[in-house]
Amino acid sequence: MTIWKYGNRKLLVLLIPLLIISNLFGTLVGVVLSMFVKAATMKNIVYFFQAAVLCVLGVCSISIVSIVCVYVRSKFIYQTNLNIKGRMLQSIIHKESLDESRELSFMTNDLKLLETNGIEKEIEVLSYVFEFVSAFVVAIFFDWVTTLVFLICGLIPAVISSKLGGKISKASKEWSKSNANYTRRIKDLFAGIETIRVYNVFKTFYSKGFSESEKLESSLRTMNTRVGTIQQMMFGLTYLLTLLLPFGVGIYRVIQGASTLALFMGVMQLSNSITNPLMGMLSDWNLLQTTKGIREKVDGADPNKSVENISASQEFSGIIVSDATLKAGGRILFKHLNLDIKPNDKVLIMAPSGFGKSTLLRALVGEYPFSEGRYKLNGRDVTGETEFPTNIFSMIKQNPFLFNDTLVNNITLEQNFETEKLTRALDKADLTKLVRIKGLQYLVGDNGQDLSGGQAQRIEIARAFIRCRQVLLADEPTSALDENSSEIIQKNLLNYSGTLIQVSHKVPLEVQKRFTQVIQLDRTVPML
């Protein structure tokens, strides 16, 4: 069960007895009703008052426990949801390839469905089980024959329903797929809204968005219709079997003298707490089937995925790439690549746009494997691997991503740094003036939309400088900067305390001379 796998087990152990007691209302009413009928047939006022006292005390006690149960249940569901979302976030972070729209849809829509149709329904099933067991035990004591008839008649629809669960599960998978496609399409539509406005193609993109909406609603309608149809069919069959046949058997036994009217009335009242839980479990079972695919994905997630650790204190000893081939997107970018980079080298790799310079940097940190040749990092052969330690690298990306957060949090990524380190990084990234004007707590907006491209790039540069790792990878680090900022940043990059590997398509000759190595990639390896 999901609640056992991912819930707080101490809370669950506390919740179970609370559920047992809070579901005794039906059993209490059955016992009290039988006592009232018996008091009436015996004309015994003392027995009547005993039944009344039991009723008041029982209802008050169960009500108090039920209130506590509501609190514990809410807390348990809250913690279970957090555990599942934390598990999925950890798993997603470590994925080699990521479909952002699909994962976003899963984290929002699918996990909400898992809560309502999975976690909550599993707890409801437990409640139904406890209600059923307590009522069944008392009813057996009253009249075991009539009780068994109620039970058998209640099990028949449940068996039939279990055979129909596959249809519901299939419809649920179709809905989940449509939901992911819808989220992807709408996200793409919103991201390109400015282009849509400029070229006045509202009709085309509205049609695409509406088409995905229609598919989503159609699959949801199919799932809901299938679930509702099966439920209504089962409800009708259940009522027919659990009311008509057992009622006839019970009346016959009273007429024959095998039971009393008081006992029969008690069993009839308790039958509600026998058949209703069976019907509830039947309904919840069908709803649980709608979360089967979601539960399988949660179970299959690997939140503990980690890479082999290289001690942070280990000194960078070099990078050697020998006769290597690099592929991306199923296409070979280049072959016969050779690099020999030593500690504190300042390496400039130049090539025209589109040659694969950015991909090369990503290969050095393991995002892409070299498919042929050899790649040695600190003397260790990591060829073909995409999981090896990257704590020696910092990277300045050409198109940095900024979180919808403060300027300072985008630099520190909410890690703790000394004020002196932060100040030094701001200075080296030429951000001091921006901070003086806007402040460190300035909110940069979604992906830095409230900043210029140059300001966003300098924040990316500050991220690298503040960490001062042993190897700095810089992808066109000055491409979005004005001439003055470009000169400042380039100077600070060349004065970097560790190893610098910079890729650019154009660098002035006088700047090239300051690098220890200049590699013309398009002349060294053939462009394919």
Side-chain angles (χ1 to χ4, degrees):
M1 295 177 72
T2 303
I3 57 175
W4 178 253
K5 285 182 179 179
Y6 307 113
N8 183 313
R9 294 184 180 179
K10 290 182 180 179
L11 267 183
L12 184 58
V13 170
L14 174 61
L15 180 62
I16 287 175
L18 295 175
L19 288 172
I20 292 173
I21 296 172
S22 63
N23 282 281
L24 290 177
F25 274 116
T27 303
L28 175 66
V29 172
V31 171
V32 170
L33 177 62
S34 179
M35 292 177 68
F36 279 145
V37 173
K38 184 176 180 180
T41 55
M42 294 172 58
K43 296 182 172 52
N44 188 330
I45 191 66
V46 174
Y47 197 69
F48 168 79
F49 279 117
Q50 289 176 346
V53 170
L54 176 62
C55 180
V56 172
L57 292 178
V59 169
C60 291
S61 300
I62 295 173
S63 296
I64 292 172
V65 172
S66 296
I67 293 172
V68 177
C69 184
V70 169
Y71 171 79
V72 175
R73 173 179 169 149
S74 297
K75 185 174 181 180
F76 177 77
I77 292 174
Y78 161 79
Q79 292 193 347
T80 304
N81 285 332
L82 280 183
N83 289 341
I84 290 174
K85 288 178 178 177
R87 175 185 178 86
M88 294 310 301
L89 282 172
Q90 287 181 331
S91 176
I92 290 169
I93 287 170
H94 288 101
K95 279 191 175 181
E96 294 176 13
S97 58
L98 191 65
D99 185 332
E100 295 179 8
S101 298
R102 189 175 294 278
E103 299 299 346
L104 175 63
S105 173
F106 184 85
M107 288 297 297
T108 53
N109 302 311
D110 288 25
L111 288 189
K112 186 60 181 177
L113 185 67
L114 178 61
E115 177 188 346
T116 55
N117 285 9
I119 297 168
E120 292 182 359
K121 295 308 173 187
E122 286 184 359
I123 295 175
E124 278 188 14
V125 167
L126 283 179
S127 299
Y128 287 138
V129 168
F130 299 144
E131 182 181 359
F132 169 83
V133 170
S134 64
F136 181 71
V137 169
V138 175
I140 284 287
F141 178 77
F142 282 174
D143 184 349
W144 68 272
V145 174
T146 305
T147 300
L148 287 179
V149 173
F150 270 112
L151 177 62
I152 293 170
C153 291
L155 286 175
I156 293 174
V159 173
I160 297 174
S161 175
S162 66
K163 303 296 182 182
L164 300 174
K167 294 183 179 293
I168 296 174
S169 180
K170 182 179 179 181
S172 172
K173 287 181 180 179
E174 289 299 321
W175 174 83
S176 184
K177 182 179 178 181
S178 295
N179 191 34
N181 290 336
Y182 170 78
T183 304
R184 187 188 302 109
R185 175 65 71 182
I186 295 301
K187 180 183 177 183
D188 187 55
L189 179 66
F190 289 165
I193 194 69
E194 291 185 5
T195 303
I196 293 170
R197 288 172 177 166
V198 168
Y199 293 103
N200 194 23
V201 287
F202 297 101
K203 185 176 181 180
T204 301
F205 281 85
Y206 169 80
S207 176
K208 289 182 179 180
F210 187 82
S211 175
E212 291 299 333
S213 301
E214 189 175 34
K215 290 177 184 177
L216 174 65
E217 294 304 319
S218 177
S219 61
L220 180 60
R221 181 187 65 183
T222 299
M223 183 178 73
N224 289 339
T225 300
R226 193 164 295 176
V227 172
T229 300
I230 292 174
Q231 284 181 342
Q232 292 305 316
M233 183 175 66
M234 290 296 100
F235 281 155
L237 180 60
T238 302
Y239 276 117
L240 181 64
L241 290 173
T242 56
L243 285 179
L244 183 59
L245 185 58
F247 193 88
V249 171
I251 292 297
Y252 176 78
R253 286 177 58 76
V254 172
I255 293 172
Q256 292 296 314
S259 183
T260 66
L261 181 61
L263 292 177
F264 173 68
M265 292 299 293
V267 171
M268 283 299 298
Q269 179 60 45
L270 288 167
S271 70
N272 292 327
S273 294
I274 295 174
T275 57
N276 287 345
L278 284 175
M279 293 170 63
M281 283 187 278
L282 166 69
S283 174
D284 285 351
W285 172 257
N286 290 332
L287 291 174
L288 279 168
Q289 295 308 300
T290 67
T291 66
K292 183 178 179 181
I294 302 172
R295 285 183 278 119
E296 288 174 350
K297 185 169 181 178
V298 172
D299 291 342
D302 185 5
N304 299 313
K305 185 176 181 183
S306 60
V307 299
E308 181 183 344
N309 183 45
I310 287 181
S311 172
S313 63
Q314 181 179 350
E315 290 296 322
F316 170 67
S317 61
I319 287 174
I320 298 176
V321 178
S322 307
D323 198 30
T325 297
L326 184 61
K327 295 180 180 179
R331 181 175 71 90
I332 296 177
L333 296 178
F334 43 74
K335 293 183 176 182
H336 309 302
L337 174 67
N338 293 284
L339 297 175
D340 187 356
I341 301 172
K342 296 179 174 59
N344 298 316
D345 271 354
K346 303 296 184 285
V347 181
L348 174 62
I349 300 175
M350 299 181 66
S353 298
F355 195 89
K357 303 185 300 297
S358 299
T359 308
L360 173 58
L361 292 187
R362 294 171 70 183
L364 293 177
V365 296
E367 290 187 32
Y368 286 98
F370 289 101
S371 54
E372 294 178 14
R374 284 286 173 263
Y375 173 29
K376 288 187 177 182
L377 174 62
N378 284 354
R380 173 189 162 197
D381 193 336
V382 294
T383 308
E385 296 184 21
T386 56
E387 295 179 8
F388 54 79
T390 59
N391 58 358
I392 61 172
F393 292 105
S394 287
M395 179 178 280
I396 298 171
K397 296 181 179 179
Q398 183 178 5
N399 298 307
F401 177 82
L402 299 187
F403 296 93
N404 186 9
D405 205 332
T406 62
L407 191 151
V408 66
N409 282 347
N410 267 285
I411 295 172
T412 64
L413 301 179
E414 301 194 36
Q415 293 178 313
N416 292 322
F417 290 96
E418 297 175 358
T419 303
E420 183 181 347
K421 268 195 169 184
L422 175 60
T423 302
R424 192 183 308 125
L426 292 173
D427 182 56
K428 288 184 177 181
D430 196 26
L431 278 172
T432 305
K433 182 178 179 181
L434 176 66
V435 170
R436 187 167 59 248
I437 295 172
K438 296 185 179 293
L440 287 171
Q441 300 305 317
Y442 177 74
L443 292 172
V444 304
D446 288 329
N447 198 16
Q449 66 180 16
D450 295 332
L451 297 175
S452 69
Q455 290 169 338
Q457 193 168 38
R458 295 205 299 277
I459 288 176
E460 174 82 346
I461 293 167
R463 282 178 185 167
F465 278 134
I466 198 172
R467 285 162 177 81
C468 202
R469 290 182 171 179
Q470 296 177 66
V471 182
L472 174 57
L473 306 178
D475 184 3
E476 302 280 6
T478 62
S479 59
L481 305 181
D482 59 45
E483 185 176 349
N484 183 56
S485 289
S486 179
E487 289 180 1
I488 293 172
I489 297 299
Q490 187 64 74
K491 177 182 177 182
N492 290 333
L493 287 172
L494 286 165
N495 290 329
Y496 189 70
S497 59
T499 302
L500 170 68
I501 304 175
Q502 178 178 329
V503 300
S504 298
H505 74 279
K506 187 178 181 181
V507 175
L509 186 59
E510 60 272 19
V511 176
Q512 294 183 34
K513 293 177 180 178
R514 298 183 59 192
F515 286 87
T516 57
Q517 290 189 56
V518 177
I519 301 171
Q520 295 285 350
L521 198 60
D522 53 326
R523 300 176 189 174
T524 306
V525 297
M527 185 173 182
L528 301 176

